[in-house]
Amino acid sequence: MEILFSIIYSLIPFSLVYLIGLNGFYQFEIFSGISSNYFIDNFNKNMFVQSKKQSKNDFEQFKQTIIIERLYAKKNLTLYDLSIALKMKKRVISILINDNTDTTFYHFINQLRIKEFKKHLIEDEHQKFTLFGLAQEVGFSSKSTFYTSFKSIEGMTPKQYQSKLKKSVST
């Protein structure tokens, strides 16, 4: 008999807590018109916008440092080399590039190299170089990589670009 009373006395408080809790979950009319994820969604959206702005600023500073110091011109540049030069983690560099350019590290570096190559192509002091000689000046170490990258970015070969450039200068 004693055991029966102890079980009943144990179940009564448990049942009361359970019913109060269950009743609380069914009072959703308190929050009518508000999505259950409203606060979480707004918080995440604001954090995402701030994060994107910060990422863009960080990327622009990162990119300017690479351009000013001509880090892209190092032959056989790797993500590891860049991380040492900039004192940044490889993962951070990779995320900055991927999130802000939608390209890979190597494609991003090759874009910077080709941009400088095109500048050098019109400068008088670089006229003595061959196309591949200029490509080496901006960091390419392989002729095939240079031609493949140039064609994928510009949509034409370096020779075609040079011919087009000469035609536009002469007219």
Side-chain angles (χ1 to χ4, degrees), residues 19-62:
L19 290 173
I20 291 169
L22 187 63
N23 188 33
F25 283 120
Y26 286 109
Q27 294 185 6
F28 57 86
E29 63 273 355
I30 294 171
F31 301 107
S32 64
I34 298 177
S35 164
S36 62
N37 291 329
Y38 174 79
F39 299 107
I40 293 171
D41 291 344
N42 272 353
F43 178 76
N44 287 339
K45 189 186 331 176
N46 289 338
M47 290 301 291
F48 178 74
V49 168
Q50 290 172 354
S51 175
K52 275 293 198 189
K53 287 179 184 175
Q54 184 62 42
S55 176
K56 188 74 173 162
N57 291 339
D58 291 346
F59 175 73
E60 289 304 321
Q61 289 177 336
F62 161 79

Side-chain angles (χ1 to χ4, degrees), residues 120-151:
H120 286 339
L121 204 55
I122 59 175
E123 295 171 347
D124 290 333
E125 69 237 29
H126 292 102
Q127 295 303 311
K128 61 184 175 200
F129 290 100
T130 64
L131 289 176
F132 183 59
L134 272 178
Q136 288 177 314
E137 284 290 308
V138 298
F140 285 101
S141 58
S142 161
K143 193 173 192 176
S144 62
T145 301
F146 167 61
Y147 275 81
T148 303
S149 296
F150 193 93
K151 186 158 184 158

Side-chain angles (χ1 to χ4, degrees), residues 29-129:
E29 63 273 355
I30 294 171
F31 301 107
S32 64
I34 298 177
S35 164
S36 62
N37 291 329
Y38 174 79
F39 299 107
I40 293 171
D41 291 344
N42 272 353
F43 178 76
N44 287 339
K45 189 186 331 176
N46 289 338
M47 290 301 291
F48 178 74
V49 168
Q50 290 172 354
S51 175
K52 275 293 198 189
K53 287 179 184 175
Q54 184 62 42
S55 176
K56 188 74 173 162
N57 291 339
D58 291 346
F59 175 73
E60 289 304 321
Q61 289 177 336
F62 161 79
K63 183 177 173 183
Q64 286 306 311
T65 303
I66 292 173
I67 291 170
I68 290 168
E69 296 182 17
R70 293 192 74 241
L71 297 174
Y72 59 86
K74 180 183 186 283
K75 288 182 178 24
N76 301 315
L77 180 69
T78 64
L79 190 56
Y80 178 75
D81 297 332
L82 195 58
S83 73
I84 290 173
L86 296 174
K87 296 178 178 85
M88 293 175 73
K89 292 183 179 183
K90 293 186 307 184
R91 179 84 176 124
V92 172
I93 293 171
S94 185
I95 289 170
L96 280 174
I97 292 171
N98 293 341
D99 286 353
N100 290 284
T101 66
D102 294 325
T103 62
T104 63
F105 165 74
Y106 289 107
H107 191 262
F108 170 70
I109 294 299
N110 287 340
Q111 285 176 326
L112 295 175
R113 289 173 174 168
I114 289 170
K115 188 175 180 179
E116 186 173 342
F117 170 84
K118 291 179 352 185
K119 286 180 189 174
H120 286 339
L121 204 55
I122 59 175
E123 295 171 347
D124 290 333
E125 69 237 29
H126 292 102
Q127 295 303 311
K128 61 184 175 200
F129 290 100

Side-chain angles (χ1 to χ4, degrees), residues 5-18:
F5 284 123
S6 68
I7 291 174
I8 292 173
Y9 287 127
S10 298
L11 287 176
I12 291 174
F14 174 77
S15 300
L16 285 173
V17 169
Y18 176 78

